[in-house]
Amino acid sequence: MLRAAISRLGSRLRLYHDPRTHHPFPASPRLRALSTGRGKRSSPTASPAETDDDGPLRGLFTLSRDPECPPRLLVVQPRLRPGSLLDSKLSEALNLANSLEEPRDGFYHAEFGAKGAPPHLVVQNPASRGRSYADTYFGPGTVDNVKCYLRASESEEDVDAVFVNAILSGIQQRNLEVAWGKPVLDRVGLIIEIFNAHAETKEAKLQSELAALMYMKTRLVRVRGPGGRLTFGPSGEAEVVSARGRGSGGRGSMSGAGETELQLQRRRIQERRVKLLAQIEDVRRTRAIQRSSRKRHGGSFGQELVTVAVVGYTNAGKSTLVSALSETDLYSDDRLFATVDPRLRSVILPSGRKALLSDTVGFISDLPIQLVEAFHATLEEVVEADMLVHVLDSSAPNLEDHRSTVLQVLQQIGVSQEKINNMIEVWNKTDLVDENASSDGVEDEIFLTEGEEEDGIFSEEDVPSEQSSLDSLDDGADSEENFEDSNDEISSKESSEMKAMSPELPSKECFGELRVPDVVGYPLTQHVPTCHVKTSAVAGIGLQELLALIDRKLTEQQNIVQRSYGPFDRKWRPSSVDDEKAAEQ
Ligand SMILES: Nc1nc2c(ncn2[C@@H]2O[C@H](COP(=O)(O)OP(=O)(O)OP(=O)(O)O)[C@@H](O)[C@H]2O)c(=O)[nH]1
Ligand SMILES: [Mg+2]
């Protein structure tokens, strides 16, 4: 009956409610009330009155922000085939779950490597049969099995929330929360939470809040806070609201006459959104001014300064590579989305010219559109860069997936095709590839994409052995640039050491197919550009080659631009009297 009542409410409303006790979710030590506001480490019991300054959207973030006690997630991974694809997606899901942690003073409480894998289950994938359930995504068998697992493990493992590595609708998410008695995060929700936890600068915080806001817009809930006051968030007694619910319409100066509850909530979201957009617009404007002044006079001798944006899948090694190239120390970590705040670092290229390397946020498959839109100001650095360097983790099993994800996002944010074609690919982490190759003896292995899978090649045994699989239990029902510091932080590296670097530019052939032998297991496709370099950012391999290639490409690019302008600068300028006379003659 409860379920039927909830279904009637429509997918837009979210109920934080323990179905057994008719109270909000049981207080887990790690679960924090949403009413603490974004980014603040205030008391979880802060009353709405205490946080009024945060605006109406105090309830954006679901889980603990206590750096010493990060939330513990149960990962529910829908089964994928082939097994190798499942392995890589599961491994990514586990990393995502472990990455949700807020640093304190820039440091995390524990080493990422020291964290064990979070509890996880592989369940039947309703999407693979093209029929995910409209109400709960999974079939009733899977839903029950996860519930049993949670009940059985509750005493031993303190699970704060369930992470479903799929994209759920609002109603599916809410119904699963009711069924499992735990908050549920889908892939989009978790990625947004991670961005919020890792954001440090004002720019990143504003943008990640906007992304969370856009995500939550379709998942509203009204709760009765302390003192019986109606507010937002999971703390307090959950109130079921309908489009014509018991509204606060007409009450108080904040409410418009005759507004329904839902309208009121939407209006508040809209107001906050407008405020955030205005602040982000300021950020964009400042960035644009900084960019153009850098471009015009940023070089060593006040000449033009080029920017090279380093892009790639999250965890590919972008920050490590930028640090190694510029001999600086950017934060790098196995946590996914370790970099949310863009940074700029300067390098001296072999020809002696100075360039800026821009380290930015990594991409991921199914990157929430809300994030792409909200991070417009940051991603503009990539769009406006003179050249792109695409870092790939050549040891990743689903490398082709990573590459196409990055290409898609680049197109999505408006990078020109010309720039994409001109991009340099860096096959990073070659030390791991070589290690794996020599230890596994799989030199000739070719990774197949899902479409290329041959029947029988991949079996059920491909599922990692340590994970729990619920399939057998199913009942068949569902067979650097820190904005605040501005770009003053740019570290110059005009050391004599760098100057001593070979000034010779590499010949074109150096980086053709012959110069760079096939990386083991590297799937060769039509995307592979001719310019690629093998590197190991940690071992310092291939760095000089990469700098030389950047140098050569920039010189080529400049020559093309000069040739297209001809000997004269054909930029538009108001015609002078002399010009007009010349034209008449
Ligand atoms: N073995 C090996 N590890 C590397 C290499 N480059 C980076 N790493 C490691 O890979 C992990 C991720 O590196 P980051 O530089 O943070 O990767 P990123 O692409 O900046 O990641 P995000 O900022 O999260 O998008 C770190 O633990 C690095 O030490 C490499 O060449 N070889
Ligand atoms: Mg990084």
Side-chain angles (χ1 to χ4, degrees):
M1 218 179 109
L2 175 65
R3 216 170 168 141
I6 293 162
S7 298
R8 280 200 301 275
L9 294 176
S11 63
R12 307 272 147 167
L13 306 172
R14 192 173 177 205
L15 183 65
Y16 279 91
H17 186 260
D18 183 338
R20 286 164 296 177
T21 60
H22 299 283
H23 276 93
F25 284 122
S28 146
R30 297 189 190 90
L31 249 183
R32 284 289 170 95
L34 293 187
S35 58
T36 52
R38 85 145 317 286
K40 282 192 178 174
R41 296 188 188 105
S42 48
S43 152
T45 52
S47 73
E50 287 172 293
T51 55
D52 259 0
D53 284 350
D54 292 339
L57 297 160
R58 289 176 289 272
L60 281 180
F61 307 106
T62 318
L63 298 171
S64 164
R65 288 300 171 77
D66 182 352
E68 283 173 27
C69 204
R72 191 166 168 84
L73 305 183
L74 166 68
V75 177
V76 175
Q77 171 65 54
R79 179 177 291 282
L80 294 164
R81 287 178 210 283
S84 54
L85 179 67
L86 172 62
D87 282 358
S88 60
K89 288 284 177 193
L90 178 63
S91 151
E92 185 178 276
L94 299 178
N95 279 341
L96 277 171
N98 270 348
S99 298
L100 179 55
E101 193 179 346
E102 183 151 328
R104 174 173 291 169
D105 302 328
F107 293 98
Y108 290 97
H109 184 60
E111 285 282 311
F112 190 77
K115 287 180 154 197
H120 50 283
L121 300 168
V122 174
V123 298
Q124 282 199 353
N125 188 354
S128 68
R129 298 172 191 186
R131 54 183 188 98
S132 55
Y133 288 70
D135 54 349
T136 52
Y137 186 73
F138 298 112
T142 302
V143 174
D144 281 350
N145 289 330
V146 174
K147 188 155 78 182
C148 289
Y149 178 92
L150 281 168
R151 287 221 177 118
S153 62
E154 217 156 347
S155 53
E156 296 160 29
E157 292 170 307
D158 191 11
V159 172
D160 297 313
V162 181
F163 163 43
V164 176
N165 193 18
I167 296 176
L168 303 174
S169 70
I171 190 123
Q172 288 167 338
Q173 184 180 4
R174 186 167 45 78
N175 285 340
L176 289 175
E177 284 175 342
V178 172
W180 294 339
K182 298 273 180 197
V184 171
L185 286 166
D186 71 347
R187 190 173 167 88
V188 178
L190 180 58
I191 293 172
I192 288 177
E193 291 264 355
I194 295 172
F195 265 67
N196 277 283
H198 294 182
E200 280 177 4
T201 57
K202 183 182 164 200
E203 173 182 351
K205 282 179 180 169
L206 283 173
Q207 293 180 124
S208 49
E209 184 180 352
L210 181 65
L213 189 71
M214 285 149 80
Y215 176 66
M216 293 297 281
K217 197 174 159 191
T218 54
R219 292 147 201 261
L220 294 172
V221 61
R222 188 177 75 152
V223 296
R224 191 170 289 281
R229 195 186 133 165
L230 293 174
T231 181
F232 292 89
S235 67
E237 187 186 336
E239 281 259 326
V240 173
V241 225
S242 73
R244 302 222 59 80
R246 293 189 287 143
S248 48
R251 271 193 293 145
S253 57
M254 285 298 286
S255 307
E259 268 184 324
T260 65
E261 189 61 36
L262 206 58
Q263 284 167 344
L264 171 73
Q265 292 190 19
R266 285 187 181 148
R267 181 166 63 78
R268 289 176 139 188
I269 285 180
Q270 184 57 19
E271 282 165 5
R272 182 76 186 136
R273 185 169 169 269
V274 168
K275 216 167 153 182
L276 282 174
L277 283 174
Q279 287 173 284
I280 291 171
E281 189 48 40
D282 284 347
V283 169
R284 275 187 67 194
R285 224 173 294 129
T286 314
R287 267 194 172 282
I289 293 168
Q290 287 173 343
R291 226 177 6 243
S292 68
S293 77
R294 247 179 3 231
K295 208 171 178 113
R296 273 182 278 126
H297 314 293
S300 317
F301 305 102
Q303 82 279 33
E304 199 175 294
L305 182 64
V306 287
T307 307
V308 179
V310 178
V311 297
Y313 207 81
T314 180
N315 214 40
K318 300 178 293 298
S319 305
T320 315
L321 188 70
V322 172
S323 297
L325 291 171
S326 61
E327 292 178 0
T328 55
D329 194 16
L330 285 175
Y331 182 75
S332 67
D333 194 350
D334 268 331
R335 278 174 186 79
L336 303 189
F337 303 111
T339 308
V340 178
D341 311 282
R343 294 278 191 274
L344 286 174
R345 291 292 179 267
S346 72
V347 287
I348 304 296
L349 299 173
S351 62
R353 106 197 257 181
K354 187 173 164 187
L356 282 183
L357 297 179
S358 157
D359 179 28
T360 189
V361 291
F363 306 145
I364 196 166
S365 57
D366 303 320
L367 189 69
I369 186 73
Q370 293 94 335
L371 267 182
V372 178
E373 285 170 1
F375 272 71
H376 192 56
T378 296
L379 292 172
E380 238 172 20
E381 285 292 319
V382 173
V383 181
E384 296 294 326
D386 297 282
M387 191 201 280
L388 302 184
V389 168
H390 177 187
V391 183
L392 282 151
D393 172 357
S394 49
S395 70
N398 48 346
L399 189 55
E400 194 50 43
D401 185 25
H402 289 191
R403 178 192 275 124
S404 55
T405 296
V406 172
L407 292 176
Q408 265 173 25
V409 178
L410 291 177
Q411 281 166 347
Q412 208 177 345
I413 62 176
V415 176
S416 69
Q417 194 57 44
E418 191 192 350
K419 228 176 253 180
I420 294 177
N421 293 343
N422 199 34
M423 189 160 68
I424 296 171
E425 265 198 10
V426 173
W427 301 353
N428 193 33
K429 303 198 187 180
T430 47
D431 53 312
L432 295 182
V433 174
D434 295 339
E435 248 172 48
N436 296 343
S438 52
S439 61
D440 301 349
V442 289
E443 252 112 332
D444 298 326
E445 186 182 350
I446 295 170
F447 288 101
L448 299 177
T449 60
E450 202 169 6
E452 293 165 331
E453 178 192 351
E454 286 173 32
D455 280 345
I457 291 184
F458 299 100
S459 65
E460 298 279 57
E461 283 75 63
D462 291 325
V463 180
S465 55
E466 69 276 8
Q467 84 207 12
S468 316
S469 171
L470 284 188
D471 281 7
S472 54
L473 298 172
D474 249 325
D475 59 4
D478 54 334
S479 3
E480 184 165 275
E481 176 176 12
N482 180 332
F483 179 73
E484 282 168 342
D485 298 337
S486 180
N487 50 357
D488 298 334
E489 205 195 327
I490 296 167
S491 66
S492 180
K493 187 180 129 344
E494 293 168 81
S495 64
S496 52
E497 214 178 312
M498 281 300 293
K499 292 225 168 96
M501 216 159 48
S502 164
E504 277 175 41
L505 294 180
S507 68
K508 213 166 191 161
E509 297 74 50
C510 279
F511 298 97
E513 300 289 342
L514 292 174
R515 173 67 175 76
V516 185
D518 290 349
V519 175
V520 174
Y522 195 92
L524 296 172
T525 71
Q526 74 269 27
H527 297 306
V528 179
T530 47
C531 285
H532 44 265
V533 184
K534 279 171 79 174
T535 64
S536 167
V538 289
I541 297 168
L543 303 183
Q544 301 307 326
E545 285 92 333
L546 176 56
L547 286 173
L549 182 54
I550 293 173
D551 208 356
R552 177 170 70 74
K553 281 245 161 200
L554 284 171
T555 311
E556 273 178 13
Q557 217 167 280
Q558 208 172 22
N559 290 343
I560 292 170
V561 172
Q562 273 172 5
R563 243 180 283 135
S564 67
Y565 280 143
F568 308 106
D569 178 4
R570 291 202 186 137
K571 260 196 229 159
W572 182 87
R573 60 196 152 92
S575 58
S576 67
V577 180
D578 290 348
D579 283 350
E580 280 165 15
K581 276 185 193 160
E584 280 166 19
Q585 285 166 9

